[in-house]
């Protein structure tokens, strides 16, 4: 307890007793540490946080935290996260998943969460492969990649997660990497604090099925700091221009932060409730609407 009477939380306060079972060297070990640090910096107690995931290696993360966790079904973390936020707006709601979970079966849900602008932070661990199910082609795999489901090389262009969410109008878009734990923690914290939907794409290496260029050494070689480049995160068009380099360069930091965040879905619901409550029946008379007279 601090001198102001508030609790000072440490990263360890968000770490559960469940031991991660990822492959040794997996980038997700660093990601979950970054999440612990970000949550400690934000300072919300674990019981005020809900963490929802889909299916995949990264989707195990809720179990490794002391927050309320929901390991849902493949590609459906975002609808469930939205339901939780609507039912209890005071909760800090985060969703996590992989590139397959988020941009294949779950890809259609992102657009609708963005247009509703619900105050949810979505963290995607993007390793360009289906790691949990033994190395199949994923939506973000590079064209020409050979996997067990593309023996002669993929014929498909990859999904660009950054352009995807920017084009739909996301108010906060960032990218991070386990190669920079301090920077990753800061980006996740900033995403959580943003008043509206926030998206963080994390290039998290798969040491078992990932290609050599996608490991830590390879990622460091193509990494560039957006702040060092002088990028203005309030410029959406500049953000989209930089996002086009996904797959060849790894820009780290905040691509876009809406300088004038619009009202969230929750804000608009409260306004509507206040407006309609003026003419609403008293609670004790609600049943009158269903009784024939």
């Amino acid at each position: 307890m601090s001198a102001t009477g508030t609790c000072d939380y440490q990263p360890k306060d968000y770490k559960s007793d469940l031991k991660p079972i990822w492959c040794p060297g997996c980038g997700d070990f660093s990601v979950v540490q970054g999440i612990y640090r970000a949550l400690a910096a934000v300072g919300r107690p674990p019981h005020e946080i809900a963490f929802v995931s889909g299916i995949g290696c990264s989707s195990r993360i809720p179990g490794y935290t002391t927050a309320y966790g929901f390991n849902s079904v493949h590609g459906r973390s975002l609808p469930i996260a939205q339901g939780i936020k609507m039912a209890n707006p005071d909760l800090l709601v985060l969703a996590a998943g992989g590139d397959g979970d988020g941009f294949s079966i779950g890809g259609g849900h992102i657009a609708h969460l963005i247009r509703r602008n619900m105050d949810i932070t979505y963290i995607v661990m993007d390793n360009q492969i289906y790691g949990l199910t033994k190395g199949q082609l994923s939506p973000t795999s590079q064209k020409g990649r050979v996997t067990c489901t593309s023996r002669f090389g993929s014929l498909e262009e990859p999904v660009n997660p950054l352009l995807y969410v920017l084009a739909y109008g996301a108010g906060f878009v960032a990218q991070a990497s386990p190669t920079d734990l301090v920077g990753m923690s800061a980006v996740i914290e900033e995403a959580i604090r943003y008043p509206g939907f926030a998206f963080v794409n994390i290039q998290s290496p798969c040491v078992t099925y990932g290609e050599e260029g996608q490991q830590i050494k390879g990622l460091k070689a193509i990494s560039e700091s957006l702040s060092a480049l002088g990028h203005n995160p309030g410029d959406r068009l500049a953000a989209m221009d930089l996002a086009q380099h996904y797959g060849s360069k790894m820009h780290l930091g905040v691509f876009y932060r809406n300088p004038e965040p619009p009202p969230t879905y929750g804000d608009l619901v409260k306004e509507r409730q206040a407006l309609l409550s003026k003419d609403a029946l008293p609670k004790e008379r609600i049943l009158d609407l269903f009784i024939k007279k």
Side-chain angles (χ1 to χ4, degrees), residues 110-118 168-169 197 265:
I110 300 176
H112 301 292
L113 176 50
I114 291 173
R115 70 186 183 87
R116 293 185 185 111
N117 191 34
M118 300 189 74
Y168 273 118
F197 174 73
Y265 190 84

Side-chain angles (χ1 to χ4, degrees), residues 7-28:
C7 290
D8 292 322
Y9 288 96
Q10 302 299 318
K12 62 181 177 62
D13 296 319
Y14 300 92
K15 181 180 180 181
S16 74
D17 294 329
L18 192 62
K19 294 187 181 299
I21 56 172
W22 294 309
C23 302
C26 176
D28 292 356

Side-chain angles (χ1 to χ4, degrees), residues 200-231:
V200 181
N201 196 63
I202 299 180
Q203 296 284 330
S204 182
C206 175
V207 294
T208 302
Y209 298 104
E211 296 183 327
E212 185 176 348
Q214 295 167 333
Q215 304 308 315
I216 293 294
K217 184 177 180 180
L219 292 178
K220 283 184 176 180
I222 62 171
S223 295
E224 289 183 308
S225 167
L226 289 172
S227 60
L229 290 173
H231 172 60

